[in-house]
Amino acid sequence: MDRVVVVGAGPAGLAAAWAAASAGVPVLLVDSGSAVGGQYRRQSGVRAARVPAHPLIEWWPETSVWAMEPVAGGHRLRLQTGAADAPGRTMSTVDTRALVVATGAYDRVLPFPGWDLPGVYTAGAAQALAKGQGVAVGRRVLVGGTGPFLLPVAGSLLEVGSRVVGLVEANGVSGAVGWARDPLGALGKLGELAGYGAVLARGRVPVRFGAAVVAAHGDSRVEAVTVARLDAGWRVVAGSERVVEVDAVCLGFGFTAQLELAVSAGCRIQDGAVLVDSAQRTSVPGVFAAGEVTGIAGAGPASAEGTVAGCAAAARLGRKVAAPAAALRLVRDGRRFGRALAAAHPVRNGWRTWLSADTVVCRCEDVRMSDLCAALAQGALGMRAVKLVSRAGLGLCQGRVCGRNVGELAGTPFTQNRPIAVPVRLSDLAAVEDEEELS
Amino acid sequence: MSGRGRTVQVVVDGVAVEAVAGQSVAGLLIGMGRASWRSTRRDGRPRGVFCGIGVCFDCLVVVNGVPDVRACQRVLADGDVVRVQDGAEIAEV
């Protein structure tokens, strides 16, 4: 109970672990990856981050938290450790009075005809494969969506030898540079932005604003995409469609916070992120949150939030900790930057008009727009009924990819309440129950 | 890639292949020029990597007879036998 447990070893989790350990508290750092660094520092080789070399930090790699529950005075985490999706991974439980949730976020991608063809990737997938594995997802690649994250993705693709035939930003140029105009809000990102601009210019990447990939074509994989100009509401401007030959397309429309553990803990969620106070405390005593799970602002602010959370978690365990003034200031600036970013790169409702009746909306269960409409026409009210009738969100990913989109298409909110946070093989679950019956 | 130069021997769809130590199943398959290695349960649509970070479960593959292994998350080990997954499969073991 008397150690801080940090879930997630990205920039926020690493900083939290370091801060808590520096305050003299033992830390258990848990992460599903085989190396630390999260999605920011890719998980292999020379680019990988290192576990903070502090004698009080214990690191458990390849470890997923599959459930958590309240116990007297704190929370119990249920963990499984071992190679991804292998049966017979080691099951264990850990109790703590001070938990830091630093589970990050993942790409949001909007559905459109053909988006489930192989060769359509999230921007994050292209980034992960380029930086982590050194492989290019395609030779002729188009990058699209909204937000500044698309720039480093295009840069990474160029680095591994792809030809980036275009970068299309769905929002207009004025919005896209809006966040960069606020000198505090941009957090000195202008230099970074100029750097990517130079990389894209060297790679002769044409950049278009107010345009999107609205269809992907091919038999068994992507062979071409349709790029169209969008109006301010993201409806396709008639007659602006143009077919571009590609063998891969990488898309990102902002990020979705990885909320399962925070939801399991009962933390208050607001606008799709964990609500925290200035000390990164969630609404649940003893549970802190840091990084993209509290809102999207990038690695710098995430790391600052981690430092604050780590200090607060150590204080909760009785240590006297000086307020981390510099980190607190960075957190404030980061929140402002995040708000500017969100305002400059909204997802507009017009994307719904890109879909046709037979467009897949739920990839896991092959649920099409027509299935969703049929469920609604049958009177399915609320997400539970929509899911049960159409099967959207009931596959292996449990709605992580389609949830927000299905929610918006069906007009009913989709929650991230998943008592089992990651899939667990039934034999492993049964083994846990057997043990508990014996004890 | 960690330990670049060190290799592991694996079998992909019956063919012996050399992989770099630390490589993920997805990294190997995409490096081999493959875009898909699974079919969906209902419509039999081809699928490969989509999210690349373990969220979407599109890239499922059968490793050593065990189905539903995320290719983007699984690091290859010497002697691994990898093959395509056809819909929903039952473990061979």
Side-chain angles (χ1 to χ4, degrees):
Chain A
M1 276 293 212
D2 287 321
R3 62 177 167 178
V4 170
V5 176
V6 178
V7 181
L14 289 172
W18 182 258
S22 300
V25 181
V27 175
L28 175 62
L29 175 63
V30 170
D31 190 80
S32 58
S34 52
V36 296
Q39 303 311 330
Y40 177 67
R41 302 289 296 276
R42 291 309 319 166
Q43 305 191 345
S44 98
V46 287
R47 291 175 191 267
R50 265 180 291 187
V51 183
H54 198 295
L56 286 176
I57 298 178
E58 187 181 349
W59 169 50
W60 289 7
E62 292 195 313
T63 300
S64 310
V65 181
W66 58 269
M68 67 178 288
E69 62 213 55
V71 291
H75 289 87
R76 173 164 299 162
L77 304 182
R78 295 182 174 273
L79 315 172
Q80 57 180 353
T81 302
D85 301 329
R89 276 171 286 172
T90 308
M91 307 294 265
S92 55
T93 60
V94 169
D95 292 350
T96 180
R97 291 196 291 133
L99 169 69
V100 179
V101 177
T103 44
Y106 55 91
D107 293 84
R108 181 179 186 193
V109 176
L110 303 173
F112 56 83
W115 78 305
D116 65 322
L117 275 173
V120 178
Y121 299 93
T122 69
Q127 183 82 330
L129 287 160
K131 288 178 78 179
Q133 297 287 315
V135 295
V137 292
R139 291 202 178 92
R140 285 176 56 85
V141 187
L142 196 131
V143 177
T146 189
F149 178 57
L150 301 178
L151 301 172
V153 169
S156 298
L157 283 163
L158 292 171
E159 249 179 64
V160 288
S162 295
R163 180 160 167 232
V164 181
V165 298
L167 189 158
V168 289
E169 158 67 54
N171 280 297
V173 68
S174 58
V177 297
W179 57 269
R181 273 208 217 100
D182 178 343
L184 173 60
L187 269 185
K189 293 266 178 187
L190 281 177
E192 198 181 324
L193 202 63
Y196 291 131
V199 168
L200 298 195
R202 267 203 308 280
R204 295 175 191 281
V205 177
V207 179
R208 274 183 77 190
F209 291 90
V213 173
V214 295
H217 316 285
D219 253 348
S220 57
R221 62 165 300 157
V222 168
E223 289 157 23
V225 291
T226 297
V227 177
R229 212 161 75 234
L230 303 179
D231 66 16
W234 287 23
R235 287 169 175 272
V236 170
V237 174
S240 70
E241 299 93 339
R242 197 163 55 91
V243 173
V244 183
E245 270 181 43
V246 295
D247 58 3
V249 53
C250 306
L251 303 165
F253 288 87
F255 297 89
T256 299
Q258 189 89 54
L259 290 175
E260 291 86 355
L261 293 182
V263 169
S264 286
C267 301
R268 208 172 141 211
I269 309 297
Q270 189 174 294
D271 298 330
V274 182
L275 192 68
V276 288
D277 68 6
S278 60
Q280 303 301 130
R281 284 183 289 243
T282 69
S283 62
V284 178
V287 181
F288 306 82
E292 308 285 53
V293 76
T294 72
I296 307 303
S303 170
E305 285 194 5
T307 299
V308 174
C311 291
R316 164 126 185 130
L317 295 184
R319 299 309 192 281
K320 282 210 174 359
V321 188
L328 284 163
R329 201 166 48 244
L330 276 171
V331 168
R332 275 198 306 276
D333 293 353
R335 297 239 163 96
R336 180 169 167 184
F337 172 65
R339 283 194 297 273
L341 199 63
H345 298 279
V347 171
R348 303 280 185 197
N349 286 346
W351 68 265
R352 301 176 204 181
T353 63
W354 307 348
L355 281 69
S356 60
D358 67 350
T359 302
V360 168
V361 292
C362 163
R363 304 169 65 94
C364 296
E365 291 289 311
D366 288 312
V367 179
R368 291 158 193 274
M369 187 60 194
S370 53
D371 301 320
L372 197 58
C373 292
L376 293 169
Q378 280 179 52
L381 286 175
M383 189 45 69
R384 184 183 296 266
V386 168
K387 285 164 78 170
L388 289 173
V389 177
S390 75
R391 293 207 56 78
L394 290 182
L396 266 165
C397 98
Q398 288 288 289
R400 285 171 178 83
V401 175
C402 73
R404 283 174 78 178
N405 300 331
V406 167
E408 288 185 19
L409 291 167
T412 178
F414 193 103
T415 63
Q416 290 207 47
N417 187 6
R418 300 183 190 99
I420 305 289
V422 292
V424 181
R425 293 193 185 270
L426 281 174
S427 55
D428 294 340
L429 204 54
V432 171
E433 299 211 323
D434 288 349
E435 251 172 53
E436 287 188 351
E437 269 171 29
L438 289 173
S439 64
Chain B
M1 202 81 11
S2 58
R4 193 183 286 282
R6 204 166 69 75
T7 56
V8 291
Q9 307 299 320
V10 298
V11 175
V12 176
D13 288 336
V15 179
V17 178
E18 196 165 82
V20 181
Q23 203 167 21
S24 68
V25 174
L28 174 68
L29 293 174
I30 288 183
M32 290 166 69
R34 309 247 322 239
S36 63
W37 49 81
R38 179 174 87 90
S39 59
T40 61
R41 207 162 47 136
R42 196 183 101 173
D43 294 349
R45 314 245 311 168
R47 291 288 166 77
V49 168
F50 180 61
C51 81
I53 61 169
V55 175
C56 78
F57 294 82
D58 261 9
C59 66
L60 298 179
V61 69
V62 183
V63 178
N64 304 329
V66 177
D68 300 335
V69 175
R70 287 166 294 172
C72 71
Q73 295 298 292
R74 184 64 165 264
V75 177
L76 284 160
D78 213 21
D80 274 347
V81 177
V82 175
R83 67 166 178 80
V84 294
Q85 180 167 335
D86 185 16
E89 291 197 21
I90 307 283
E92 290 159 20
V93 266

PDB file of all heavy atoms in Angstrom, chain A residues 179-192:
ATOM      1  N   TRP A 179      -3.545  28.422 -33.359  1.00  0.00           N
ATOM      2  CA  TRP A 179      -2.907  28.108 -32.080  1.00  0.00           C
ATOM      3  C   TRP A 179      -1.468  28.582 -32.044  1.00  0.00           C
ATOM      4  O   TRP A 179      -0.930  28.910 -31.006  1.00  0.00           O
ATOM      5  CB  TRP A 179      -2.988  26.615 -31.786  1.00  0.00           C
ATOM      6  CG  TRP A 179      -2.405  25.723 -32.829  1.00  0.00           C
ATOM      7  CD1 TRP A 179      -3.058  25.176 -33.888  1.00  0.00           C
ATOM      8  CD2 TRP A 179      -1.055  25.267 -32.924  1.00  0.00           C
ATOM      9  NE1 TRP A 179      -2.202  24.409 -34.631  1.00  0.00           N
ATOM     10  CE2 TRP A 179      -0.970  24.445 -34.066  1.00  0.00           C
ATOM     11  CE3 TRP A 179       0.091  25.462 -32.155  1.00  0.00           C
ATOM     12  CZ2 TRP A 179       0.211  23.826 -34.465  1.00  0.00           C
ATOM     13  CZ3 TRP A 179       1.267  24.840 -32.542  1.00  0.00           C
ATOM     14  CH2 TRP A 179       1.318  24.038 -33.689  1.00  0.00           C
ATOM     15  N   ALA A 180      -0.856  28.634 -33.212  1.00  0.00           N
ATOM     16  CA  ALA A 180       0.544  29.038 -33.248  1.00  0.00           C
ATOM     17  C   ALA A 180       0.691  30.550 -33.083  1.00  0.00           C
ATOM     18  O   ALA A 180       1.763  31.047 -32.780  1.00  0.00           O
ATOM     19  CB  ALA A 180       1.167  28.591 -34.563  1.00  0.00           C
ATOM     20  N   ARG A 181      -0.419  31.286 -33.318  1.00  0.00           N
ATOM     21  CA  ARG A 181      -0.350  32.742 -33.211  1.00  0.00           C
ATOM     22  C   ARG A 181      -0.292  33.208 -31.766  1.00  0.00           C
ATOM     23  O   ARG A 181       0.186  34.283 -31.468  1.00  0.00           O
ATOM     24  CB  ARG A 181      -1.590  33.367 -33.872  1.00  0.00           C
ATOM     25  CG  ARG A 181      -1.390  33.572 -35.347  1.00  0.00           C
ATOM     26  CD  ARG A 181      -2.242  34.738 -35.806  1.00  0.00           C
ATOM     27  NE  ARG A 181      -2.765  34.456 -37.136  1.00  0.00           N
ATOM     28  CZ  ARG A 181      -3.982  34.026 -37.368  1.00  0.00           C
ATOM     29  NH1 ARG A 181      -4.831  33.876 -36.374  1.00  0.00           N
ATOM     30  NH2 ARG A 181      -4.374  33.767 -38.576  1.00  0.00           N
ATOM     31  N   ASP A 182      -0.852  32.403 -30.864  1.00  0.00           N
ATOM     32  CA  ASP A 182      -0.852  32.760 -29.447  1.00  0.00           C
ATOM     33  C   ASP A 182       0.533  32.429 -28.894  1.00  0.00           C
ATOM     34  O   ASP A 182       0.894  31.267 -28.775  1.00  0.00           O
ATOM     35  CB  ASP A 182      -1.934  31.926 -28.740  1.00  0.00           C
ATOM     36  CG  ASP A 182      -1.985  32.203 -27.251  1.00  0.00           C
ATOM     37  OD1 ASP A 182      -1.013  32.770 -26.722  1.00  0.00           O
ATOM     38  OD2 ASP A 182      -2.993  31.843 -26.633  1.00  0.00           O
ATOM     39  N   PRO A 183       1.333  33.445 -28.584  1.00  0.00           N
ATOM     40  CA  PRO A 183       2.732  33.166 -28.245  1.00  0.00           C
ATOM     41  C   PRO A 183       2.876  32.285 -27.007  1.00  0.00           C
ATOM     42  O   PRO A 183       3.745  31.414 -26.963  1.00  0.00           O
ATOM     43  CB  PRO A 183       3.340  34.550 -28.021  1.00  0.00           C
ATOM     44  CG  PRO A 183       2.209  35.511 -27.942  1.00  0.00           C
ATOM     45  CD  PRO A 183       1.011  34.869 -28.566  1.00  0.00           C
ATOM     46  N   LEU A 184       1.988  32.465 -26.016  1.00  0.00           N
ATOM     47  CA  LEU A 184       2.070  31.606 -24.844  1.00  0.00           C
ATOM     48  C   LEU A 184       1.439  30.258 -25.188  1.00  0.00           C
ATOM     49  O   LEU A 184       1.995  29.203 -24.902  1.00  0.00           O
ATOM     50  CB  LEU A 184       1.335  32.248 -23.661  1.00  0.00           C
ATOM     51  CG  LEU A 184       1.220  31.372 -22.426  1.00  0.00           C
ATOM     52  CD1 LEU A 184       2.605  30.995 -21.897  1.00  0.00           C
ATOM     53  CD2 LEU A 184       0.439  32.086 -21.329  1.00  0.00           C
ATOM     54  N   GLY A 185       0.288  30.335 -25.850  1.00  0.00           N
ATOM     55  CA  GLY A 185      -0.426  29.110 -26.197  1.00  0.00           C
ATOM     56  C   GLY A 185       0.422  28.179 -27.039  1.00  0.00           C
ATOM     57  O   GLY A 185       0.375  26.966 -26.892  1.00  0.00           O
ATOM     58  N   ALA A 186       1.231  28.739 -27.895  1.00  0.00           N
ATOM     59  CA  ALA A 186       2.019  27.894 -28.800  1.00  0.00           C
ATOM     60  C   ALA A 186       3.211  27.267 -28.096  1.00  0.00           C
ATOM     61  O   ALA A 186       3.833  26.364 -28.631  1.00  0.00           O
ATOM     62  CB  ALA A 186       2.492  28.714 -29.979  1.00  0.00           C
ATOM     63  N   LEU A 187       3.502  27.733 -26.847  1.00  0.00           N
ATOM     64  CA  LEU A 187       4.551  27.101 -26.044  1.00  0.00           C
ATOM     65  C   LEU A 187       5.852  26.941 -26.809  1.00  0.00           C
ATOM     66  O   LEU A 187       6.521  25.916 -26.704  1.00  0.00           O
ATOM     67  CB  LEU A 187       4.102  25.705 -25.620  1.00  0.00           C
ATOM     68  CG  LEU A 187       3.381  25.528 -24.309  1.00  0.00           C
ATOM     69  CD1 LEU A 187       3.163  24.034 -24.079  1.00  0.00           C
ATOM     70  CD2 LEU A 187       4.181  26.092 -23.156  1.00  0.00           C
ATOM     71  N   GLY A 188       6.189  27.940 -27.581  1.00  0.00           N
ATOM     72  CA  GLY A 188       7.440  27.832 -28.326  1.00  0.00           C
ATOM     73  C   GLY A 188       7.402  26.781 -29.407  1.00  0.00           C
ATOM     74  O   GLY A 188       8.422  26.244 -29.817  1.00  0.00           O
ATOM     75  N   LYS A 189       6.195  26.442 -29.866  1.00  0.00           N
ATOM     76  CA  LYS A 189       6.078  25.389 -30.877  1.00  0.00           C
ATOM     77  C   LYS A 189       6.371  25.920 -32.279  1.00  0.00           C
ATOM     78  O   LYS A 189       6.454  25.144 -33.226  1.00  0.00           O
ATOM     79  CB  LYS A 189       4.658  24.805 -30.865  1.00  0.00           C
ATOM     80  CG  LYS A 189       4.324  24.046 -29.608  1.00  0.00           C
ATOM     81  CD  LYS A 189       4.599  22.578 -29.783  1.00  0.00           C
ATOM     82  CE  LYS A 189       4.312  21.837 -28.488  1.00  0.00           C
ATOM     83  NZ  LYS A 189       4.708  20.456 -28.542  1.00  0.00           N
ATOM     84  N   LEU A 190       6.494  27.240 -32.392  1.00  0.00           N
ATOM     85  CA  LEU A 190       6.696  27.803 -33.726  1.00  0.00           C
ATOM     86  C   LEU A 190       7.976  27.265 -34.358  1.00  0.00           C
ATOM     87  O   LEU A 190       8.005  26.957 -35.546  1.00  0.00           O
ATOM     88  CB  LEU A 190       6.741  29.336 -33.660  1.00  0.00           C
ATOM     89  CG  LEU A 190       5.367  30.004 -33.565  1.00  0.00           C
ATOM     90  CD1 LEU A 190       5.526  31.507 -33.429  1.00  0.00           C
ATOM     91  CD2 LEU A 190       4.529  29.659 -34.789  1.00  0.00           C
ATOM     92  N   GLY A 191       9.034  27.149 -33.530  1.00  0.00           N
ATOM     93  CA  GLY A 191      10.301  26.645 -34.051  1.00  0.00           C
ATOM     94  C   GLY A 191      10.140  25.223 -34.558  1.00  0.00           C
ATOM     95  O   GLY A 191      10.610  24.867 -35.643  1.00  0.00           O
ATOM     96  N   GLU A 192       9.422  24.409 -33.758  1.00  0.00           N
ATOM     97  CA  GLU A 192       9.192  23.013 -34.128  1.00  0.00           C
ATOM     98  C   GLU A 192       8.411  22.946 -35.443  1.00  0.00           C
ATOM     99  O   GLU A 192       8.717  22.173 -36.341  1.00  0.00           O
ATOM    100  CB  GLU A 192       8.391  22.358 -32.995  1.00  0.00           C
ATOM    101  CG  GLU A 192       8.420  20.854 -32.994  1.00  0.00           C
ATOM    102  CD  GLU A 192       7.579  20.285 -31.837  1.00  0.00           C
ATOM    103  OE1 GLU A 192       7.570  20.891 -30.745  1.00  0.00           O
ATOM    104  OE2 GLU A 192       6.936  19.262 -32.058  1.00  0.00           O
TER     105      GLU A 192
END
